[in-house]
Amino acid sequence: PPRSPPATGPEPITAARPVPAPILDGIDPHRVALLYGGDLGFFRQLLELFIAEFGTAAVQIEADLARREPQTAAGRLHRLKGNAGNLGALALMTTAQALVAVILAESAYLPHLLQAFAAVCSCLLDTARPWLAAGPKPASHPATGSGPADGAQDRADRP
């Protein structure tokens, strides 16, 4: 009997076979599908880590600027920008990049862009937190070697 050719890897994502991705304000579900190939557990874990690290970024950046530490604010935004891109949060990534440029240029547009940045952050956080709370907690993933938020559940269970 004829033999099938050996499998060469996962099938590419196509319109005929969409990969499920969350519909969250501020996150491009098509990018999530392409980046994570349907591994929503890993996406969930990264989103939890992102929120743990950057959930108060808008407040922290304003505090950095109030202390006249623009380099600290720019560094925080640079890290956020990279992580946002990895999550498919393209509007947040773009806004963070623009805010870095405005901070370093000491532009008069700073208050307006800070306000826009805070709004984009809030939009993402306001939809991501309930989605994370409603779903199952992911198991440990080999890429990070830990469970959600690096053991945050273990710490929450302790007295």
Side-chain angles (χ1 to χ4, degrees):
R3 296 180 126 184
S4 306
T8 58
E11 293 178 38
I13 297 169
T14 65
R17 193 184 70 79
V19 173
I23 305 298
L24 301 170
D25 288 342
I27 294 183
D28 179 349
H30 300 292
R31 185 163 177 93
V32 170
L34 289 171
L35 289 171
Y36 301 104
D39 188 350
L40 290 185
F42 186 47
F43 172 76
R44 274 183 165 297
Q45 186 175 354
L46 292 179
L47 185 57
E48 285 183 343
L49 292 170
F50 179 85
I51 289 173
E53 184 171 353
F54 299 110
T56 60
V59 172
Q60 292 173 335
I61 289 162
E62 286 188 33
D64 294 339
L65 296 172
R67 288 190 309 271
R68 300 194 186 293
E69 297 176 0
Q71 294 298 326
T72 301
R76 188 183 314 276
L77 283 161
H78 181 74
R79 289 187 307 279
L80 180 144
K81 178 185 74 129
N83 283 277
N86 289 336
L87 288 172
L90 304 181
L92 183 57
M93 181 183 77
T94 303
T95 306
Q97 183 175 5
L99 187 53
V100 168
V102 166
I103 288 170
L104 296 178
E106 299 178 11
S107 170
Y109 292 110
L110 180 59
H112 304 291
L113 202 50
L114 268 173
Q115 186 177 13
F117 175 78
V120 172
C121 281
S122 180
C123 178
L124 174 64
L125 295 171
D126 289 349
T127 58
R129 285 181 173 136
W131 181 77
L132 288 168
K137 298 295 179 203
S140 178
H141 195 281
T144 62
S146 66
D150 290 327
Q153 185 60 44
D154 292 337
R155 288 190 297 276
D157 292 339
R158 293 184 196 147

